[in-house]
């Protein structure tokens, strides 16, 4: 129902990594006052239940094999709905500003003078390793962590991966599963064949899968376990803290 009396506003809301209970309280409150929810592929549809029954819910993500909505279309939809219906909640996977194109939406809304507020979400880049009890930093082991995209706008592996492979940082790669071979090659070239490595498929969701190994073995393990997107890659000594890594080391010691 078009309601001219409502104030137009947009909330960029981070939905967290998948488990609907990982949304913030502030996020729940924002959804409760939504007139429209525009939601992405990596957000859990259970979150829509926080929105009023008569709120308009629009899916703007990508179904497997199909194209995603062009960013331009999403921007325009967001403005249209805000002008005509009032409060638009733009629900995005993880945190809106970690490879989420959140700033583009914020900027676009600002060009129409529509107020935007931001509610951060738990980014998969930190939350998913954490749920596996892999800390991204650990005293005496990892002094920093990098979060890198595996695939840049031009479809190439990010140059930053070459730099990260030279460092002692924990390296978390998003959107990198298809580029795993190339990334593994970069780490090998940096002399890191034994670096503990984990791949997590759909962390915090029902079909979550974890594969733990080292740079030299991870590709085979990922193929064996048939790991699928969305998945993230974790490179670094901190992966050795995971219990299954300790089991691997024991098995290796037993056969060698
Ligand atoms: N803004 C999001 C990231 C968007 S990029 C965030 O902060 O989490 C999308 C990529 O994030 C996916 O290709 C995958 O690499 C990663 N990702 C998102 N959710 C994930 C999950 N539950 N488990 C594993 N990887 C995930």
């Amino acid at each position: 129902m078009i309601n001219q009396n409502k104030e137009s506003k947009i909330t960029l809301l981070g939905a967290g990594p998948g488990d609907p209970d990982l949304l913030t309280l502030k996020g729940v409150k924002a959804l409760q006052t939504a007139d429209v929810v525009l939601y992405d592929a990596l957000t859990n549809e259970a979150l829509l239940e926080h929105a009023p029954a008569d709120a308009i819910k629009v899916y703007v993500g990508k179904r497997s094999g199909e194209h995603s909505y062009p960013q331009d279309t999403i921007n325009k939809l967001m403005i249209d709905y805000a002008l005509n219906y009032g409060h638009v909640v733009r629900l995005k996977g993880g945190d809106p500003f970690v490879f989420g194109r959140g700033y583009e939406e914020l900027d676009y809304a600002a060009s129409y003078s529509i107020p935007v507020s931001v509610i951060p979400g738990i980014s998969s880049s930190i939350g998913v390793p954490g749920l596996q009890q892999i800390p991204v930093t650990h005293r005496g082991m990892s002094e920093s962590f990098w979060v890198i995209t595996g695939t840049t706008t031009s479809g190439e592996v990010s140059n930053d991966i070459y730099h990260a492979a030279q460092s002692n940082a924990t390296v978390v790669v998003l959107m990198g599963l298809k580029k795993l071979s190339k990334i593994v090659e970069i780490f090998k070239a940096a002399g890191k064949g034994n670096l503990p490595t984990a791949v997590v498929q759909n962390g915090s969701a029902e079909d979550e899968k974890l594969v733990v190994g080292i740079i030299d073995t991870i590709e085979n393990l990922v193929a064996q376990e048939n790991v699928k997107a969305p998945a993230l890659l974790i490179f670094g000594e901190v992966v050795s803290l995971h219990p299954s890594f300790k089991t691997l080391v024991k098995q290796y010691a037993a056969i060698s």
Side-chain angles (χ1 to χ4, degrees), residues 2 12 16 20 24 36 70 72 90 104 107 109-111 121 125 134 151 165 191 196 202 216 234 236 247:
I2 294 194
L12 278 187
T24 59
V36 180
D72 199 39
R90 178 69 181 101
E104 292 168 51
D107 205 30
S111 72
S125 56
I134 298 174
T151 318
N202 221 354
D216 284 341
I234 314 166
T247 312

Side-chain angles (χ1 to χ4, degrees), residues 95-173:
D95 183 88
F97 292 146
V98 179
F99 301 117
R101 306 191 72 171
Y103 194 80
E104 292 168 51
E105 295 174 10
L106 185 147
D107 205 30
Y108 195 79
S111 72
Y112 282 82
S113 303
I114 297 175
V116 180
S117 41
V118 176
I119 303 179
I122 297 177
S123 176
S124 63
S125 56
I126 304 176
V128 166
L131 286 162
Q132 292 294 341
Q133 305 187 11
I134 298 174
V136 286
T137 68
H138 185 54
R139 215 169 224 265
M141 191 177 262
S142 164
E143 294 170 1
S144 68
F145 61 94
W146 296 39
V147 179
I148 311 179
T149 176
T151 318
T152 60
T153 347
S154 59
E156 301 297 310
V157 164
S158 166
N159 235 340
D160 289 349
I161 292 183
Y162 292 86
H163 299 295
Q166 301 287 338
S167 80
N168 290 320
T170 302
V171 181
V172 179
V173 180

